[in-house]
Amino acid sequence: MFKRSPSLTEQVKSHLKKRIINDTFESGRIPAETDLAAELKVSRNTIRDALSRLEAEGTIFRKQGAGTFVNKAGLLVKTRLEEIVSYETMIREYGYTPTVHLISTEETASDPQLEAELNLKPGAHLLVIRKLFMADDKPVIFTLTTIPTEIIQLAYTPDDIRAPITDFLRRFCNHEFGYYLSEIVPLISPNWLAKKLDLPQSQTAILSFEEIAYNKNNDPVAKACSYFNNNLLHLRLIRRPGH
Amino acid sequence: MFKRSPSLTEQVKSHLKKRIINDTFESGRIPAETDLAAELKVSRNTIRDALSRLEAEGTIFRKQGAGTFVNKAGLLVKTRLEEIVSYETMIREYGYTPTVHLISTEETASDPQLEAELNLKPGAHLLVIRKLFMADDKPVIFTLTTIPTEIIQLAYTPDDIRAPITDFLRRFCNHEFGYYLSEIVPLISPNWLAKKLDLPQSQTAILSFEEIAYNKNNDPVAKACSYFNNNLLHLRLIRRPGH
DNA sequence: CAGTGGTCTAGACCACGGG
DNA sequence: CCGTGGTCTAGACCACTGG
């Protein structure tokens, strides 16, 4: 029934998610793990891995001894911060049409703070990219991405820069993206930013992300700052007790 | 070597974490999974589960084909939003001494928004709890917790209310805590809050959490709003690509 | 090529929930 | 009590890394 790639677990997960969304499971109850394993011809461990991922993203919940159930409220949550999606996808999941404007690119020298954060030599050269994301032509996210020029190995066009940074790192820097270490910082929007995000010039509180991108070798490879217009997007998160 | 409870995986995880912190592993390299399994007398799957948790919290990173390594930078990250710790623990992990002040408790009637969020009958009674968390006697977090009185089944003292809400729910409401669904909202601190958090009266941007607490049955049982003084605490998060 | 982590299997036993 | 999810085992094969 399933192929070898992507992983069985992933195929089972999306198969089950489709059935959940199409409401194939009456009364919100999902069949027992052993039954699913028999039906889909995979081992129970594979079923469990898939269900664990669906549970982590709030699609289902499980109760030992009772069963596995659809989390109707969880289905309404579109994006969760702890899982990266491109800003275009995020905007689309809120029901808007996304567009990306490349505002500017610029080369500068690094400052001591960035050198520490990205583990650079003093005076390293940096590529600074400014982008504006629109939802139905209303500006919602402004981003400022900083990449050391020394890791860029191929020539690129403005279109390549419009793509998500994870794609740019893979295609032009030969770095597989690993994860973001993010800090959430509240801010009173300065005038230049209020103008870009179409906020009232009177002081408005906004959210910003300051993120260091790490590659699969755990080396810091870029810094990304994002500024959100909270009128349209909501930043949500599922928080669970540590094990 | 290990007992039956808590889970083997959890014991292996904390055993390995101790060895990582004590720098038992030279050159940052952690032994192969099969070696660890033989040494600790557990199956490789158990080792893998433990390593997966350490990887999720940023303590280690793995590279297929190469090995498993200590994430030295990740060890510096104390608290991550996606994993719940009590605010007292969070303050302690930043190196301060925490204290909790119970500001007030109050009973009110619900409003339509809360009735929708907590799935209540119109006009339900609510217990509102206000607390202030101090770090070395400096105020850093103000919280406003709202619990429907109908789920409170035992009498409680002010001391009981000072405890984290997860404890209160378990001990006095017979509800096992499941997870928080949180929204992060930026705010310009109003004067009353600036006073409580000892912020400059001039407008300051702060972060707030608006969280709905769910129990293990996936029912919403409480609402918790938190307001942070960002001068002392940093809200961090590890973000990874979805599977 | 040897050694590593990634995936998957089949089976066992336990702990809990609800009738 | 039975059926559920939670944990653990032993073993197999694959995919990737690095010398």
Side-chain angles (χ1 to χ4, degrees), chain A residues 1-19 40 42-43 45-57 59 80 83, chain B residues 241-243:
Chain A
M1 167 146 192
F2 294 116
K3 306 174 179 182
R4 208 188 279 129
S5 168
S7 71
L8 267 189
T9 302
E10 200 48 36
Q11 294 173 73
V12 170
K13 178 194 154 189
S14 51
H15 170 84
L16 291 175
K17 184 148 188 181
K18 269 181 208 142
R19 285 173 65 177
L40 300 181
V42 299
S43 79
N45 277 355
T46 303
I47 296 289
R48 279 187 61 73
D49 284 347
L51 291 176
S52 295
R53 294 182 190 182
L54 290 171
E55 183 178 35
E57 66 180 51
T59 302
R80 291 160 299 108
E83 181 170 320
Chain B
H243 290 283

Side-chain angles (χ1 to χ4, degrees), chain A residues 92-110:
Chain A
R92 202 172 290 114
E93 283 180 340
Y94 274 94
Y96 305 110
T97 301
T99 51
V100 191
H101 290 199
L102 182 57
I103 302 290
S104 74
T105 65
E106 181 191 339
E107 291 211 18
T108 66
S110 64

Side-chain angles (χ1 to χ4, degrees), chain B residues 8-124:
Chain B
L8 266 187
T9 302
E10 200 47 36
Q11 293 172 74
V12 170
K13 180 195 154 190
S14 51
H15 171 84
L16 291 174
K17 184 147 188 182
K18 270 182 206 141
R19 285 172 67 177
I20 290 168
I21 290 173
N22 296 341
D23 208 15
T24 316
F25 301 117
E26 293 150 37
S27 74
R29 186 183 189 120
I30 288 168
E33 297 175 348
T34 46
D35 294 348
L36 286 174
E39 178 190 339
L40 300 181
K41 308 275 183 53
V42 298
S43 80
R44 189 183 156 215
N45 278 355
T46 304
I47 296 288
R48 279 186 62 73
D49 284 347
L51 290 176
S52 295
R53 295 184 189 182
L54 290 171
E55 184 178 36
E57 66 180 53
T59 303
I60 63 171
F61 65 99
R62 305 197 263 194
K63 269 202 85 178
Q64 175 171 158
T68 303
F69 309 89
V70 175
N71 184 356
K72 294 202 176 67
L75 284 174
L76 300 177
V77 179
K78 299 303 183 190
T79 46
R80 291 160 299 109
L81 284 191
E82 70 273 25
E83 181 172 320
I84 298 172
V85 295
S86 76
Y87 287 142
E88 290 170 89
T89 303
M90 183 190 290
I91 290 167
R92 202 172 288 116
E93 282 179 342
Y94 275 94
Y96 305 110
T97 301
T99 50
V100 190
H101 290 199
L102 182 57
I103 302 290
S104 72
T105 63
E106 181 191 339
E107 291 209 17
T108 67
S110 65
D111 59 75
Q113 186 192 343
L114 263 168
E115 285 159 11
E117 289 175 332
L118 297 183
N119 201 14
L120 298 172
K121 289 189 278 287

Side-chain angles (χ1 to χ4, degrees), chain A residues 217-237:
Chain A
N217 287 326
N218 210 52
D219 300 316
V221 289
K223 178 166 186 174
C225 299
S226 306
Y227 304 89
F228 296 85
N229 176 340
N230 278 90
N231 296 330
L232 293 165
L233 303 181
H234 298 258
L235 300 189
R236 283 189 236 271
L237 188 63

Side-chain angles (χ1 to χ4, degrees), chain B residues 146-162:
Chain B
T146 306
I147 303 174
T149 51
E150 62 178 3
I151 70 168
I152 304 174
Q153 297 175 352
L154 296 175
Y156 53 85
T157 69
D159 248 16
D160 298 324
I161 289 182
R162 236 195 301 275

Side-chain angles (χ1 to χ4, degrees), chain B residues 3 12 32 49 56 70 86 103 122-123 133 151 153 159 175 178 189 191 193 215 227 229:
Chain B
K3 307 177 178 179
V12 170
D49 284 347
V70 175
S86 76
I103 302 290
F133 292 80
I151 70 168
Q153 297 175 352
D159 248 16
H175 278 102
S189 173
N191 279 339
L193 185 56
N215 65 14
Y227 304 89
N229 176 339

